[in-house]
Amino acid sequence: RLSAVGVNGIWMHAVLRDLAPGGDTFPEFGANHETRLANLRRLVERAGKYGIGVYLYLNEPRAMPTSFFATRPELAGVRVGDFTAMCTSRPEVRQWMTDAITHVFREVPELAGIYAITASENQTNCASHGRWQSCERCKTRSDTEIIAEVAAVLEQGVHRGNPEAKVI
């Protein structure tokens, strides 16, 4: 029915830590990711039969409960309430993001791309809610630089996994 009315793409919300393993830095990430990726692969194949591309809508990296940083305080960024941003000024955070999104696009190669919002209602990077100057690493950077870097990291990961996928 969607195809019949001209729809050629849909976006669906995803949380990166649920779709990819976290490696040595974030071993708790990725629980049941194989099942999620298999389900995503089936959805992408089904939609593709009708000429509909599937885009992942991402707000990354998602803030974590502050307790998450008890054993890795060097990766903590801006705190808002009970949540703290994963500081993207840290190379480990950027590397995980790149590797995770690459993993998703290699495992589900027919994904059309991503639709990323880097500053929304969800706390993500240190600049996402305008408080980057309270982060020891980010305070010397501009909010524009931080957000552009997040977008570049996502783009690199997508295109490392599938050079033809779109990044919006």
Side-chain angles (χ1 to χ4, degrees):
R1 286 187 302 217
L2 291 172
S3 180
V5 296
V7 172
N8 65 3
I10 62 165
W11 60 263
M12 60 180 281
H13 178 259
V15 177
L16 194 52
R17 68 175 177 259
D18 293 337
L19 293 177
D24 293 337
T25 307
F26 304 113
E28 58 271 81
F29 288 179
N32 301 314
H33 75 278
E34 298 93 347
T35 301
R36 287 184 181 92
L37 289 175
N39 291 336
L40 180 59
R41 204 170 11 263
R42 281 193 293 279
L43 174 66
V44 168
E45 289 169 5
R46 186 173 165 204
K49 289 178 186 177
Y50 299 97
I52 298 172
V54 176
Y55 294 81
L56 297 180
Y57 163 50
L58 300 173
N59 295 128
E60 294 293 341
R62 281 299 174 89
M64 297 296 293
T66 299
S67 60
F68 175 80
F69 298 96
T71 60
R72 47 176 86 90
E74 72 283 1
L75 301 181
V78 173
R79 182 176 178 171
V80 177
D82 294 332
F83 288 88
T84 300
M86 295 171 57
C87 182
T88 58
S89 288
R90 291 295 301 213
E92 303 96 313
V93 173
R94 294 191 311 273
Q95 187 65 55
W96 169 75
M97 289 174 62
T98 303
D99 291 347
I101 199 75
T102 297
H103 178 79
V104 171
F105 275 81
R106 284 186 178 155
E107 292 296 314
V108 189
E110 300 304 316
L111 273 169
I114 66 168
Y115 171 65
I117 297 180
T118 56
S120 71
E121 69 278 4
N122 297 308
Q123 182 186 1
T124 57
N125 59 77
C126 292
S128 69
H129 286 179
R131 298 181 181 179
W132 78 97
Q133 292 165 330
S134 65
C135 174
E136 285 303 311
R137 289 167 299 282
C138 293
K139 69 181 180 183
T140 60
R141 305 175 72 196
S142 73
D143 55 343
T144 304
E145 179 184 2
I146 295 164
I147 289 173
E149 183 176 67
V150 169
V153 164
L154 291 170
E155 183 274 330
Q156 289 166 2
V158 167
H159 289 144
R160 195 167 76 185
N162 179 353
E164 302 304 315
K166 295 182 174 104
V167 177
I168 302 168

